[in-house]
Amino acid sequence: MTDHDRTWRIETLAVHAGQEPDELTGAVAPPIYQTSTYRQDAVGVPRDGWEYARTQNPTRSRLERAVAALEGGSHGLAFASGSATTAVIAELAAPGDEVIVSDDVYGGTFRLFERVLRAKGVDARYVDLTGDPAGALGAALTERTRLVWVETPSNPWLKLIDLAAVAGALRDHRGSGGERPVLVADNTFASPLGQRPLALGADIAYHSATKYLAGHSDTVNGVLATSREDLHERLAFLQNAIGAVPGPFDCFLVLRGLRTLALRVERHTANALAVARALAARPDVAVVRYPGLAEGPHAHPQAALAARQMALPGGMVSFLPAARAGRSPEERARRFCEATRVFTLAESLGGVESLCEVPAAMTHGSVAGSALEVPASLVRLSVGIEHADDLVADVAQALDRA
Ligand code: PLP
């Protein structure tokens, strides 16, 4: 059954792709196939290819089709977490290969490259790709480069990377095995509503689906999309061979979240802009970072790229409080996060509820002491879908008390 039409807009795809009514009953909510195996019609003859649930599960297949459609790719693959997805993609690199990574990434991504892959002989190099990506890549690419891993907007600094420029700079390069390096874009912060990396030249669009795709802070999940048959074949093999697959109920939760993704990201964006503007207006805030803040002293240095590359700048805001009343910025960052009432102090992001955290002490502990170290006074906000006025008031009262 065709579940969607490629001409549909992303809001329509979010509701319908992979979400066709159940063939058996017409149930409009996706059935959860909570099974580990399938009866075979004869020895070695699985019905319609359904053989074993690590390899294939109908609920997971729906999610994989949905993600492929939302990212404008031909194939999707789902995993037990974003980190499991990272680990599987990283298997594309063999000992002796190199990986170029943008220089501000989720702490767990850094940890995997540094503490798992380096020991296996895969070297990661961290490069600032914000200013002149072609020049920076020209200096960093070698005949051993297998992967280029970029996060845009990045976690936690919300740096942006021009994906089309990076893809262009890789086009004629021959890296490991004489092949063009594979460009992976971590699209977790933007969501496909914000930008679609495959259309900009990335080979793989990646998500911690734990975040905006699922959207309700109730599951851990990871997905990728690609239009390259060779990559899909290899990654599907690795998905089954490594076995870090999500359970069907978790796939159902992400599918349910996807149906409201478009509405949620619009609201996240509107609220984040309101919060960023409120922070920017305060004398006791030293730095605000929000890709949608285009004017004033706290305008994002890459606001023009955001306007060009992103349909919506999304719901993530970072800021550094200034010192005040004898309290250091670091102390104020901690006090702020402990004083909010609407924002919940917690790791993760992308759920309907607003969250706040101090990355240096929480999500990014693994980059401490490295070139990617994050200041102890940086606060990261995941702005939820509550009323903007309540969020702005909460930020104001918490800063007043910090
Ligand atoms: N990529 C980004 C940008 C993230 O923020 C995270 C988690 O916070 C991950 C990847 C890893 O995803 P997961 O926590 O689902 O393993």
Side-chain angles (χ1 to χ4, degrees):
M1 189 196 298
T2 316
D3 60 352
H4 65 275
D5 180 329
R6 280 210 165 223
T7 65
W8 286 350
R9 288 162 187 82
I10 195 160
E11 293 82 353
T12 310
L13 290 174
V15 176
H16 292 289
Q19 315 245 20
E20 69 279 6
D22 174 33
E23 284 193 23
L24 187 63
T25 64
V28 297
I32 302 169
Y33 279 86
Q34 193 70 43
T35 187
S36 62
T37 193
Y38 311 88
R39 178 179 183 273
Q40 302 206 356
D41 289 339
V43 174
V45 185
R47 190 174 307 172
D48 294 330
W50 302 108
E51 192 173 358
Y52 183 59
R54 188 187 66 246
T55 320
Q56 288 153 319
N57 174 283
T59 316
R60 191 177 93 211
S61 297
R62 283 172 173 268
L63 173 59
E64 294 177 336
R65 290 203 304 278
V67 168
L70 287 172
E71 285 291 2
S74 313
H75 302 284
L77 290 171
F79 298 87
S81 65
S83 301
T85 316
T86 311
V88 166
I89 295 171
E91 283 293 324
L92 296 173
D97 285 353
E98 287 176 354
V99 182
I100 294 176
V101 184
S102 52
D103 70 348
D104 184 51
V105 289
Y106 167 57
T109 302
F110 176 82
R111 181 174 55 213
L112 187 97
F113 283 124
E114 286 307 300
R115 296 183 53 193
V116 180
L117 287 161
R118 200 175 283 288
K120 295 202 300 183
V122 176
D123 288 341
R125 211 181 298 177
Y126 302 88
V127 179
D128 180 358
L129 295 172
T130 54
D132 169 21
L137 280 170
L141 288 164
T142 72
E143 72 288 347
R144 293 166 54 203
T145 311
R146 177 68 178 138
L147 285 176
V148 175
W149 184 286
V150 301
E151 224 180 80
T152 178
S154 68
N155 183 0
W157 271 114
L158 301 165
K159 293 183 179 184
L160 303 185
I161 293 167
D162 186 334
L163 289 169
V166 171
L170 294 179
R171 197 165 297 133
D172 296 323
H173 183 78
R174 294 290 159 261
S176 175
E179 290 177 22
R180 178 175 65 71
V182 174
L183 176 56
V184 186
D186 184 332
N187 205 24
T188 301
F189 271 31
S191 92
L193 266 295
Q195 72 201 1
R196 296 169 101 186
L198 301 183
L200 298 167
D203 298 298
I204 297 173
Y206 161 105
H207 290 269
S208 166
T210 314
K211 314 296 178 350
Y212 288 101
L213 300 192
H216 295 74
S217 305
D218 53 10
T219 181
V220 171
N221 194 288
V223 296
L224 66 83
T226 184
S227 290
R228 276 183 52 178
E229 297 299 326
D230 59 334
L231 283 179
H232 173 249
E233 195 181 319
R234 178 70 186 153
L235 292 165
F237 168 81
L238 289 167
Q239 179 195 42
N240 181 51
I242 292 173
V245 293
F249 185 61
D250 294 285
C251 295
F252 167 85
L253 287 174
V254 182
L255 281 163
R256 189 170 65 163
L258 287 179
R259 300 192 116 165
T260 55
L261 180 67
L263 282 174
R264 285 187 286 109
V265 176
E266 276 177 27
R267 182 65 167 259
H268 284 296
T269 300
N271 284 354
L273 183 60
V275 167
R277 283 187 176 141
L279 287 167
R282 290 193 59 122
D284 62 341
V285 170
V287 174
V288 182
R289 278 287 175 272
Y290 179 60
L293 206 57
E295 283 161 14
H298 293 284
H300 193 288
Q302 297 168 290
L305 173 59
R308 198 167 72 238
Q309 178 162 280
M310 303 185 75
L312 292 168
M316 300 300 296
V317 178
S318 292
F319 73 97
L320 298 166
R324 197 185 66 178
R327 290 192 188 131
S328 68
E330 177 180 349
E331 194 183 348
R332 290 197 69 222
R334 285 174 178 258
R335 292 177 77 103
F336 170 86
C337 285
E338 289 166 4
T340 53
R341 293 178 54 226
V342 184
F343 283 81
T344 301
L345 173 57
E347 299 191 359
S348 202
L349 60 115
V352 290
E353 67 291 302
S354 292
L355 302 179
C356 60
E357 68 132 357
V358 175
M362 296 171 69
T363 52
H364 286 69
S366 61
V367 300
S370 80
L372 277 67
E373 183 165 303
V374 179
S377 58
L378 186 72
V379 177
R380 191 190 76 184
L381 303 176
S382 171
V383 182
I385 64 166
E386 302 92 336
H387 197 289
D389 293 351
D390 294 330
L391 297 175
V392 167
D394 192 37
V395 165
Q397 70 80 22
L399 275 171
D400 289 344
R401 288 168 57 194

